[in-house]
Amino acid sequence: MKEPVNISPPKLADKLLRVLLPDELAEELQGDMHEQFELMVEEKGLFKARWLYVWEVLRFCRPYFLKRKLSAKAESMKDFYFLINSGMLQNYLKIAFRNLLRAKGYVFINITGLAVGIAASTLIILWIQSEWQYDRIYRKTSRLYQVYNKDVFNGEPNVWDATPRPLAPALKQNYGEVEEAIRVRPTDLLLSAYNTRLNASGAFVDPAFIKLFDFQLKSGNAQTMLNGNNGMVITETLAEKLFGTSMAIGKVVQIQNKDLFTVTGVLEDIPHNSKFSQVSYLLPYNYFVALGWGSDAWESNNDYTYVLLKENTDEASINRKIKKLTARYLTGIIKDLNNREVFLHPADRWHLYSKQENGQLVDGGIVTVRLLGLIAFFILLIAAVNFINLSTARSEKRAKEVGVRKVAGAQKGALILQFIGESLLLTFLAGIIALLVVQLALPFFNDLTGKRLALNFASGSFWLGALGVLMFTGILAGAYPAFVLAGYQPSKVLKGALKSQRAAFTPRKILVVVQFTFAIVLIVATLIINRQIDHAQSRNQGYDQNNLLFTYLSGDMPGHYTALRQELMQSGVAVSISKSLGPLTEINTRQWGVAWPGSTQADKDIEFDKFGTDANFLKTTGTQLLAGREIDVNKYSTDSTAIMLNEAAVKKMNLRNPVGTTIRMQRTDWHVVGVVKDFIFASPYDPINPVLIEGPGGAMAKNWLSIRLNNRLSMQENLEILERIFARYNPAYPFEYSFADQSYQAKFADEQRTGALTGLFTGLTILIACLGLFGLAAYTAQQRTKEVGIRKALGAPVSSIVQLLTRDFIRLLLVAFAIGAPIGWFAMEKWLQGFSYRIGIGVGVFIVTLVSSIILVLVSVGFQAVKAALVNPVKSLKSE
């Protein structure tokens, strides 16, 4: 059986007809045209009838009909224009001021809540803006990339940013898509000019560095300033330090008390949201090569390579082409190259997407940005919820006003505009206060975040953004109360038939639940973050941090090491001294390609952390010896090629009797003399890696001193003696040092900052929510004045009255806890997955959260409840 054929007119033509014709003509004329269409179908067929219908509709596209339509629209808009003319707007403003002056307590709570919410959100937005702009400040950001290596070690994919020296020239020479490729090698050198000497951070760079990163130039020629071998570029601040002026072109700087360089360019200070923000001078990379530092070997990964691609180059395509570039040059040098790759990491992801996961650079800082962005939104939302709740709570008080105005002829639209106007007025007043709070809080906030944030009052975009936030907040806060109040029926209001809502879940109660759900999630997050930091900080480091100092043997110090060590010991400032490859708190270098008895070819992919020493390692660092002895070249001349292993290395090598074992590394045989207890060498949140502690015969110089200070002297006395002795042996260099405990604490900086920010904004969220509860409790008590009076007259004690007025809020809190606790658990469980050494989330966190939340509610609501319960019932029953 065939389905019936659709013989209706074309739908689009029908809709167009409705648009073209005035409403009073459209329905009648459309009916006539439908009848005519049916006749045409019978006479000329469906296809032709539809075309004729479309043609008839198009004939109505004439100025006459359009004018009629516009006139009808204009008539309907007259009322709206009347509502928003200047006279009416002035009237709305006057009434709004009067209403606000009559409700000072309500205004204070709302303005305070909104001001705190806007201020907190503004601080977060400034922080997010700073994070988001990291390394996006260059004109060529969209074409800038850093080259990364990728390989498999210990069976797991790894990526790292250090690359071989020849990589940049090979990329530029062999790939047409590459416009420029440069090498960057960070350094810390002694700079001297006139009587000023200072150690400063800088970099050896190829000449095209300025072309890629286009930092603002104060003086000099960007095209040629780094082309020579004896020219250098310095920042404005460094110029001021060295010469007392930023006009430094042509002035001479001595490097390491040896080579003279002429200043060929002065840069404005590099912005803090650039990865090169710590760089204060640039030296030609050719100078680095001439010094004999580094290596041309493809297996030596010590430089950073940056690439500028040509316009319209496809990132995926160039990545496929260069994927096996280093592997080709390493053939015959490294046996297993199946997984060795290089790839490009775009500049706009350097800062926020730097976390390594399964051989990929995924999230990282972006997680914190998203977290604080959500917090900013919800803080604004909670401030708006306060406004909504307090406005609707006052609705019964303003119901008669609405009824009278409606009877007098006020339109619903006028009332809505009136109430939204009040909301916007409150919001703008709160916004002015918020800007003052932000300006006062910025120094503290900058100290907390380590940034240099500021409000740019001269920027038009700032004022547009501020206006947008205030308008959004004002309309968000005022829209719902406005429609509720404007929707009251005057007949019911004036008869007193308007009843307060006592249902289980009213919009007001739902909003309170939303408020406290978010507060509970933040409380859970703050508690867990702080517990995780405490957990890592209390972890046994495996060495003694107290009175352990590190300093670098700069200049001529390595040649005077024996005499220096002897004098330090004789002075009594040092209990023990050990030469090392670097500070014990940092990974000095990593090593793979290690062979030992029973090892396989696959074992050469195992990556070891590497340290170095000459003698007294145990006594100086406070590590524990588990087997054998420690390295001591003063007693055993063969200890130049001795090596010690930590527990993790012994386990990884599967050695039963490690002492006496011979290990092959860097084409040299090393003999194991001892095993030390595991100590934290890298991140306190990660498992302890296998560590090799080699003697002084390794390729890398042991030019760091680890000094165990005498605790019988004060720290000031120790430092004064050290400075005096080092100045005698190395007068050209300032004495610089670091302490083990401070360096170790610095490892917690990111997590502590996240915890501090979360804690700060959790506190502000709770403050805003409690302000709202305080105001809401006041209006609830006011609404139930007669009920309270009757209960007291019948003999109800104060405690039962307080319980009556607080139990609804406690119920709402319990509902919020039931929703917020699982959300908080899920979010923090995901956050903790980023740490190998982590806490478990126990019930204790949720018990503390619930108890503290109940206390906060009782404090916020209890005052108003007790106040209402203590009122004389005679006064309560007389009140209207």
Side-chain angles (χ1 to χ4, degrees):
M1 185 177 178
K2 290 185 179 180
E3 293 183 5
V5 179
N6 181 11
I7 58 170
S8 61
K11 290 182 179 179
L12 287 176
D14 245 10
K15 288 181 180 178
L16 180 61
L17 186 66
R18 283 278 187 183
V19 171
L20 292 172
L21 295 175
D23 294 336
E24 67 272 14
L25 295 178
E27 188 173 350
E28 182 179 353
L29 190 56
Q30 191 177 40
D32 293 342
M33 288 184 66
H34 280 202
E35 290 178 10
Q36 188 178 359
F37 172 76
E38 290 173 5
L39 293 173
M40 292 294 292
V41 170
E42 293 176 4
E43 293 177 8
K44 299 187 178 182
L46 179 61
F47 180 77
K48 197 166 185 179
R50 283 183 170 173
W51 275 108
L52 289 169
Y53 188 88
V54 171
W55 171 248
E56 288 295 327
V57 169
L58 292 176
R59 289 177 65 189
F60 286 102
C61 292
R62 297 179 183 179
Y64 169 76
F65 290 107
L66 293 175
K67 187 176 179 181
R68 285 283 303 272
K69 184 69 175 180
L70 291 174
S71 298
K73 287 287 182 185
E75 287 293 328
S76 65
M77 292 295 287
K78 278 183 180 178
D79 291 339
F80 177 72
Y81 294 146
F82 172 74
L83 294 178
I84 61 170
N85 68 54
S86 59
M88 288 302 294
L89 290 175
Q90 188 177 358
N91 182 55
Y92 296 151
L93 191 63
K94 188 184 296 183
I95 294 173
F97 266 115
R98 288 174 180 172
N99 283 324
L100 295 181
L101 288 173
R102 280 201 300 266
K104 295 182 181 65
Y106 158 79
V107 170
F108 173 78
I109 291 173
N110 256 332
I111 286 183
T112 303
L114 282 171
V116 172
I118 293 168
S121 300
T122 301
L123 289 171
I124 294 174
I125 290 167
L126 287 172
W127 183 87
I128 289 175
Q129 184 184 39
S130 172
E131 288 289 294
W132 189 256
Q133 287 178 343
Y134 246 96
D135 292 315
R136 298 170 188 251
I137 56 176
Y138 320 117
R139 286 196 295 268
K140 304 181 183 75
T141 292
S142 60
R143 296 192 286 138
L144 273 174
Y145 296 82
Q146 183 175 1
V147 186
Y148 272 73
N149 278 305
K150 182 179 178 181
D151 208 338
V152 174
F153 299 108
N154 303 335
E156 295 183 1
N158 262 276
V159 297
W160 68 98
D161 54 0
T163 53
R165 178 186 289 176
L167 180 60
L171 284 168
K172 186 174 181 182
Q173 183 177 351
N174 299 323
Y175 298 92
E177 298 92 337
V178 176
E179 184 174 322
E180 284 290 354
I182 64 165
R183 298 159 295 191
V184 176
R185 183 66 177 260
T187 188
D188 286 281
L189 299 172
L190 177 71
L191 309 182
S192 307
Y194 303 136
N195 296 320
T196 303
R197 296 173 182 272
L198 54 90
N199 277 318
S201 298
F204 298 101
V205 299
D206 283 318
F209 178 87
I210 299 295
K211 178 181 178 182
L212 266 67
F213 296 104
D214 55 58
F215 296 119
Q216 293 299 310
L217 195 63
K218 194 167 182 67
S219 55
N221 187 332
Q223 305 300 321
T224 60
M225 61 175 58
L226 286 169
N227 286 349
N229 290 328
N230 63 345
M232 72 182 297
V233 178
I234 63 177
T235 62
E236 190 175 2
T237 295
L238 182 59
E240 293 279 357
K241 289 179 180 178
L242 290 173
F243 306 110
T245 175
S246 61
M247 307 301 290
I249 296 291
K251 296 185 184 294
V252 176
V253 178
Q254 190 174 36
I255 307 291
Q256 297 289 95
N257 287 323
K258 295 177 183 176
D259 301 312
L260 299 177
F261 277 77
T262 303
V263 176
T264 55
V266 177
L267 294 174
E268 291 184 8
D269 290 341
I270 295 175
H272 69 279
N273 51 359
S274 165
K275 73 182 306 177
F276 302 103
S277 60
Q278 300 303 312
V279 171
S280 58
Y281 59 89
L282 303 172
L283 291 167
Y285 190 85
N286 288 341
Y287 174 54
F288 176 72
V289 176
L291 289 171
W293 297 351
S295 169
D296 285 326
W298 278 89
E299 66 269 31
S300 177
N301 293 288
N302 293 305
D303 293 343
Y304 301 104
T305 302
Y306 298 91
V307 166
L308 177 67
L309 297 182
K310 291 182 178 176
E311 295 278 3
N312 302 318
T313 298
D314 180 56
E315 179 187 332
S317 173
I318 186 66
N319 268 327
R320 284 193 296 271
K321 290 183 180 181
I322 68 171
K323 187 176 180 179
K324 287 295 182 182
L325 175 60
T326 56
R328 287 199 295 271
Y329 286 99
L330 289 170
T331 303
I333 301 172
I334 297 177
K335 290 185 178 179
D336 184 7
L337 293 168
N338 292 328
N339 299 301
R340 177 61 65 92
E341 298 174 3
V342 294
F343 67 93
L344 303 180
H345 188 49
D348 58 7
R349 296 174 70 87
W350 288 346
H351 182 65
L352 297 177
Y353 296 87
S354 55
K355 180 183 175 184
Q356 183 184 156
E357 189 174 290
N358 197 31
Q360 301 291 329
L361 292 169
V362 287
D363 51 21
I366 192 66
V367 174
T368 308
V369 167
R370 289 169 181 159
L371 170 66
L372 289 179
L374 277 173
I375 290 174
F377 173 76
F378 278 108
I379 284 177
L380 262 184
L381 182 64
I382 285 174
V385 164
N386 275 357
F387 186 97
I388 293 168
N389 277 338
L390 292 176
S391 297
T392 53
R394 291 178 70 236
S395 59
E396 288 186 26
K397 216 171 186 184
R398 300 195 66 181
K400 289 185 179 180
E401 174 196 339
V402 172
V404 171
R405 290 180 65 185
K406 277 196 168 184
V407 169
Q411 298 178 20
K412 184 177 180 180
L415 293 171
I416 290 172
L417 285 175
Q418 171 67 53
F419 294 126
I420 288 181
E422 287 183 19
S423 171
L424 287 172
L425 178 61
L426 268 177
T427 306
F428 275 88
L429 291 173
I432 294 168
I433 296 170
L435 285 180
L436 293 173
V437 171
V438 169
Q439 194 65 22
L440 292 172
L442 270 174
F444 161 76
F445 192 69
N446 284 336
D447 288 341
L448 180 65
T449 59
K451 291 186 177 292
R452 288 174 284 176
L453 306 176
L455 292 172
N456 186 5
F457 292 111
S459 168
S461 58
F462 165 77
W463 290 110
L464 281 174
L467 184 64
V469 169
L470 293 178
M471 291 291 290
F472 170 77
T473 306
I475 293 172
L476 176 69
Y480 176 73
F483 280 96
V484 169
L485 290 168
Y488 285 151
Q489 295 179 18
S491 58
K492 289 185 177 180
V493 169
L494 296 177
K495 286 179 181 179
L498 191 67
K499 300 293 183 184
S500 59
Q501 293 175 303
R502 300 294 296 276
F505 284 101
T506 63
R508 193 184 313 154
K509 290 178 180 179
I510 291 171
L511 291 173
V512 171
V513 169
V514 169
Q515 268 189 326
F516 270 91
T517 297
F518 181 63
I520 283 162
V521 171
L522 280 183
I523 293 170
V524 169
T526 302
L527 291 173
I528 291 176
I529 289 172
N530 288 328
R531 278 190 58 201
Q532 171 65 8
I533 295 170
D534 292 341
H535 181 65
Q537 286 179 325
S538 61
R539 186 180 182 185
N540 183 12
Q541 298 93 29
Y543 61 94
D544 184 5
Q545 295 179 356
N546 296 322
N547 297 306
L548 181 57
L549 177 143
F550 307 118
T551 186
Y552 183 68
L553 295 174
S554 54
D556 298 327
M557 292 294 285
H560 301 305
Y561 170 63
T562 303
L564 173 69
R565 182 181 179 280
Q566 186 176 356
E567 185 168 349
L568 288 172
M569 295 297 294
Q570 289 176 350
S571 70
V573 71
V575 174
S576 179
I577 298 171
S578 177
K579 230 178 176 184
S580 59
L581 195 61
L584 191 64
T585 52
E586 298 176 14
I587 297 175
N588 311 135
T589 185
R590 287 193 164 105
Q591 180 71 51
W592 58 86
V594 180
W596 60 88
S599 65
T600 64
Q601 183 62 40
D603 289 333
K604 290 192 173 182
D605 286 336
I606 295 176
E607 193 174 44
F608 295 84
D609 292 338
K610 193 160 72 171
F611 195 69
T613 185
D614 60 341
N616 302 313
F617 173 77
L618 298 176
K619 187 177 181 181
T620 305
T621 61
T623 48
Q624 184 179 342
L625 185 70
L626 298 179
R629 61 175 178 83
E630 69 173 320
I631 295 170
D632 191 342
V633 291
N634 300 320
K635 289 184 180 179
Y636 310 98
S637 59
T638 56
D639 273 10
S640 180
T641 55
I643 201 165
M644 292 190 294
L645 310 175
N646 73 341
E647 293 174 276
V650 172
K651 186 177 180 181
K652 183 66 72 174
M653 294 177 172
N654 198 26
L655 297 174
R656 292 187 177 180
N657 300 300
V659 177
T661 301
T662 300
I663 290 175
R664 183 76 177 173
M665 180 177 67
Q666 294 177 325
R667 303 183 183 89
T668 302
D669 288 333
W670 298 77
H671 57 286
V672 178
V673 298
V675 177
V676 299
K677 190 175 179 62
D678 283 342
F679 56 89
I680 298 175
F681 197 21
S683 169
Y685 299 105
D686 292 338
I688 294 176
N689 289 338
V691 177
L692 307 174
I693 305 168
E694 66 177 24
M700 299 183 71
K702 315 298 188 290
N703 283 339
W704 280 83
L705 280 192
S706 300
I707 303 174
R708 172 68 61 184
L709 299 175
N710 188 344
N711 59 11
R712 294 181 181 178
L713 300 175
S714 70
M715 188 56 68
Q716 184 177 351
E717 288 173 319
N718 279 329
L719 292 176
E720 286 174 356
I721 295 169
L722 284 171
E723 192 165 359
R724 192 164 57 245
I725 293 172
F726 273 81
R728 188 156 50 248
Y729 284 94
N730 202 25
Y733 287 79
F735 173 59
E736 295 184 337
Y737 56 89
S738 61
F739 288 103
D741 55 353
Q742 293 174 353
S743 299
Y744 187 75
Q745 282 303 311
K747 295 175 183 288
F748 301 94
D750 288 344
E751 288 73 25
Q752 285 175 330
R753 189 173 295 119
T754 301
L757 287 172
T758 308
L760 170 65
F761 293 118
T762 298
L764 292 177
T765 301
I766 291 169
L767 171 64
I768 297 167
C770 288
L771 274 173
L773 275 186
F774 184 83
L776 203 56
Y779 282 106
T780 302
Q782 195 175 42
Q783 286 173 344
R784 304 179 74 172
T785 300
K786 287 190 177 181
E787 179 187 349
V788 169
I790 292 169
R791 287 178 180 272
K792 286 201 72 177
L794 294 174
V798 171
S799 59
S800 69
I801 302 295
V802 171
Q803 183 183 2
L804 172 73
L805 295 175
T806 57
R807 68 186 177 193
D808 281 348
F809 292 101
I810 296 295
R811 285 172 184 165
L812 295 177
L813 172 66
L814 293 176
V815 172
F817 180 80
I819 299 169
I823 295 172
W825 175 86
F826 176 79
M828 296 318 296
E829 183 67 27
K830 197 163 187 179
W831 180 75
L832 286 170
Q833 286 174 5
F835 304 99
S836 300
Y837 185 78
R838 46 165 286 187
I839 61 169
I841 302 177
V843 294
V845 169
F846 301 102
I847 292 172
V848 171
T849 301
L850 180 59
V851 171
S852 59
S853 300
I854 291 172
I855 291 171
L856 286 169
V857 170
L858 289 175
V859 170
S860 303
V861 178
F863 174 79
Q864 296 290 357
V866 171
K867 182 180 174 183
L870 293 174
V871 172
N872 189 322
V874 175
K875 186 178 179 181
S876 300
L877 294 172
K878 283 171 64 180
S879 68
E880 283 293 335

